Amino acid sequence: MDKKPFSLKKSLYMTFWLFLVVIGASQCFAQSQTGSADLKSVRNRQYLEIINSLYYYIQQNYVEEVDPEVLYQGALKGMLDSLKDPHSAYLSKDEWRNLSDTTNGSFGGVGLSISKPSENTPEKPAYVLVAQPIDGSPGEQAGIQSGDRIIKIDGVDTSTITMNEVLSMLRGTVGEPVTVTIRRGKTMEFDRTLIRAVIETPSVKYGMIHSTGYIKISEFSTNTAAVVQQALESFEAENYNSLIIDLRNNGGGLLNAAVAVVDKFVDNGTIVETKSRIAYENQVFTASPKNTVVDENIPVIVLINRASASASEIVAGALKDTHRAYLVGEKSYGKGSVQIPTPLIANDGFKITVAKYYSPTDVNIDKIGIPADRKVDYPEFTEDEEKAYSALMSDDKITEYVENHPGMTDVDIGSYAVNLQKDYNIDLRIIRKVIRNEVERTRKPRLYDLDYDVQLNAALDMFANEDVLALSKSAKTLKEIQAESDTKSDKK
């Protein structure tokens, strides 16, 4: 087939036109280096001119017509990706809506906080990673855990679709089902069908465990400090003698809310400091005696794990550095930076890191995390246990049994677990947890689970058998831990 003659003259003309723009900018660079006092300002203007010229050149000369929105999004995404900062990113319309919905406190979905790698390779498929399930959500009630990977949604391989498509598939009409395939560990896989619900992001739940006050903070929002205050007042009325603050799976939230919580325990000194090249972002948040409400003789344990991040690390780090609390659990996530989300004109937006925060002993834990003073891990499955657990979840026996036996009690759960263990060689504690999740799917979720929660039990045992106040006072600060790490690195 004959092709339309190629217009060499037009092509050369347009290429020469763009060439002149680039050469002109380069000449301006040379002149500005010798005759201008404001080189940076000149360079900024010249780069913007080149970007603008390239935009119109593509629009007029690319082999196919290009949607202006595609170029707009590509330019913004490219600029923010070039920062090499996982917390600075362009947010498409769907991503911005997702952020706004979460901030506003309620939305329809399955209640899983997720992330997704940008690169997809055969060696490392870009499956969806569960950062944390929201308390009481369909995802949490189905037993999905932090660290699980969603490899399929309604049979669709998640490594082959975008984050926007993932969110669109997980969200939908309240009451409608969506089936996710979970991979836990290296080989364990199972399906769970989730019924979409109105997801209300919780902030604080609390109650007494014998003589210990227990506060679970799931995020730091505008009302967190007020609810924590209510919890402390109720504990005081019940003559509590120890306190647990549960920050596990807390992905963060408002910095001011975290500061207000710490201020209830610490009566002086720095709580957290933010450092930035923007003058007004450089702030030191200090404690005030008038805000301190917890008696200094009340021992405090803070529970953390690998999904405790950002604002929850501010609280954990401040209480540790001031020797006001003892940390139990796992090393935290390690997000020591502050972002500001900003809307754009197309119902999209972006978020960008504007500062880093530092603990009272002047340590930034970004990409490092905060180690627990007392490490308590959940037992890992053996290879045989992984296979047995995967089979148990896939067989769906528990769902059928619970449907046929409504109103199961803890005794009923224990008896059924013993029967199941004959076919599935797994720790009874874990089988009971799976059954209990199914039984409580349509009930109000319990505040804590002493049968399953080894980290919470470890904290309670410490109150019963150890001097937690003394442990808190003798625990190493983040500065001391950092100095030890630097010394070991120097020796190596």
Side-chain angles (χ1 to χ4, degrees):
M1 180 183 290
D2 292 337
K3 296 182 179 179
K4 186 177 181 180
F6 177 70
S7 177
L8 180 60
K9 181 178 180 181
K10 181 178 179 181
S11 175
L12 289 174
Y13 171 76
M14 296 305 297
T15 302
F16 181 68
W17 170 75
L18 185 61
F19 176 75
L20 284 178
V21 172
V22 177
I23 291 298
S26 299
Q27 290 174 342
C28 288
F29 285 159
Q31 293 171 1
S32 64
Q33 287 173 347
T34 58
S36 173
D38 194 0
L39 172 61
K40 185 176 180 180
S41 177
V42 173
R43 292 179 67 186
N44 284 340
R45 184 178 69 251
Q46 291 162 348
Y47 280 134
L48 286 172
E49 289 173 354
I50 294 173
I51 292 171
N52 190 53
S53 299
L54 180 59
Y55 173 87
Y56 285 108
Y57 184 81
I58 293 172
Q59 286 281 52
Q60 296 174 24
N61 294 277
Y62 184 65
V63 64
E64 297 174 355
E65 187 173 348
V66 183
D67 184 346
E69 188 174 8
V70 171
L71 296 179
Y72 159 78
Q73 291 180 346
L76 269 61
K77 187 176 186 299
M79 280 192 287
L80 288 160
D81 285 350
S82 71
L83 300 175
K84 306 297 182 184
D85 174 12
H87 307 300
S88 296
Y90 169 72
L91 303 173
S92 66
K93 294 178 182 179
D94 290 338
E95 290 168 330
W96 180 258
R97 183 189 64 192
N98 177 53
L99 177 64
S100 299
D101 288 347
T102 303
T103 304
N104 290 334
S106 66
F107 52 91
V110 298
L112 297 174
S113 177
I114 59 176
S115 62
K116 193 176 190 297
S118 57
E119 294 185 5
N120 181 35
T121 65
E123 296 77 21
K124 292 185 177 181
Y127 293 132
V128 174
L129 178 66
V130 177
Q132 65 183 89
I134 294 174
D135 283 352
S137 69
E140 195 268 345
Q141 291 177 346
I144 297 174
Q145 301 175 5
S146 299
D148 286 348
R149 282 176 168 76
I150 302 174
I151 63 174
K152 292 181 183 178
I153 303 175
D154 285 336
V156 177
D157 186 334
T158 60
S159 68
T160 65
I161 58 179
T162 66
M163 184 62 161
N164 288 343
E165 291 170 322
V166 168
L167 292 172
S168 296
M169 294 181 73
L170 291 178
R171 292 188 173 188
T173 304
V174 172
E176 289 187 351
V178 57
T179 299
V180 296
T181 302
I182 299 297
R183 176 175 294 172
R184 181 171 297 164
K186 295 181 179 180
T187 60
M188 188 192 311
E189 293 183 8
F190 53 90
D191 290 342
R192 300 304 285 171
T193 298
L194 313 177
I195 306 301
R196 296 184 181 95
V198 174
I199 305 301
E200 295 184 355
T201 307
S203 176
V204 181
K205 296 179 180 179
Y206 60 90
M208 292 288 292
I209 308 176
H210 309 303
S211 59
T212 299
Y214 174 77
I215 303 176
K216 181 174 179 59
I217 305 177
S218 300
E219 70 166 357
F220 288 91
S221 60
T222 53
N223 68 341
T224 298
V227 181
V228 168
Q229 179 65 33
Q230 294 173 9
L232 295 172
E233 290 174 357
S234 72
F235 299 158
E236 184 70 32
E238 297 188 55
N239 298 316
Y240 77 122
N241 58 25
S242 53
L243 177 66
I244 294 174
I245 303 174
D246 192 344
L247 299 180
R248 292 173 297 176
N249 301 324
N250 183 322
L254 302 178
L255 183 148
N256 286 336
V259 169
V261 169
V262 175
D263 206 2
K264 298 182 184 300
F265 297 83
V266 181
D267 60 8
N268 67 83
T270 298
I271 294 175
V272 67
E273 180 178 1
T274 59
K275 299 180 182 181
S276 171
R277 66 191 184 100
I278 307 171
Y280 62 80
E281 290 293 343
N282 290 304
Q283 300 182 65
V284 178
F285 298 85
T286 56
S288 171
K290 67 179 182 181
N291 297 325
T292 307
V293 295
V294 179
D295 189 284
E296 62 180 6
N297 293 314
I298 295 289
V300 180
I301 287 179
V302 175
L303 298 179
I304 57 173
N305 66 3
R306 60 186 176 181
S308 303
S310 194
S312 61
E313 291 175 296
I314 289 176
V315 173
L319 294 178
K320 176 177 175 58
D321 270 359
T322 56
H323 299 287
R324 191 58 192 89
Y326 198 73
L327 309 187
V328 173
E330 307 160 354
K331 179 185 284 189
S332 65
Y333 178 82
K335 181 181 179 294
S337 57
V338 181
Q339 287 73 41
I340 293 181
T342 304
L344 295 169
I345 60 173
N347 293 322
D348 53 354
F350 67 94
K351 58 178 182 176
I352 189 169
T353 299
V354 296
K356 291 185 176 182
Y357 70 76
Y358 291 76
S359 75
T361 55
D362 199 35
V363 172
N364 176 256
I365 51 83
D366 198 47
K367 300 177 183 177
I368 299 173
I370 299 174
D373 297 313
R374 178 75 56 87
K375 185 177 181 182
V376 180
D377 290 323
Y378 281 87
E380 293 186 3
F381 280 140
T382 64
E383 186 175 340
D384 289 341
E385 286 173 332
E386 280 194 1
K387 292 178 181 178
Y389 187 90
S390 183
L392 174 64
M393 300 302 286
S394 299
D395 290 347
D396 214 25
K397 287 184 179 180
I398 293 175
T399 300
E400 182 179 351
Y401 187 90
V402 171
E403 287 179 354
N404 294 329
H405 298 80
M408 290 179 66
T409 65
D410 284 343
V411 174
D412 298 329
I413 290 171
S415 298
Y416 182 44
V418 171
N419 289 331
L420 280 176
Q421 195 183 41
K422 297 174 183 177
D423 298 321
Y424 305 94
N425 186 24
I426 315 169
D427 188 332
L428 275 174
R429 177 181 59 87
I430 296 172
I431 298 177
R432 289 195 298 266
K433 176 64 173 175
V434 175
I435 300 171
R436 195 156 44 245
N437 285 339
E438 188 64 36
V439 169
E440 296 178 352
R441 182 186 293 273
T442 58
R443 302 178 187 174
K444 183 179 179 181
R446 61 180 64 197
L447 178 59
Y448 50 82
D449 186 348
L450 294 181
D451 180 45
Y452 177 77
D453 196 337
V454 297
Q455 293 168 338
L456 177 56
N457 275 305
L460 293 170
D461 288 342
M462 289 177 63
F463 285 136
N465 301 304
E466 301 181 57
D467 187 344
V468 175
L469 277 176
L471 289 172
S472 302
K473 288 179 171 58
S474 64
K476 295 173 183 175
T477 66
L478 293 177
K479 190 73 170 179
E480 291 169 333
I481 293 172
Q482 183 185 64
E484 283 187 356
S485 177
D486 291 344
T487 300
K488 290 178 181 179
S489 298
D490 292 341
K491 288 182 179 179
K492 288 182 180 180

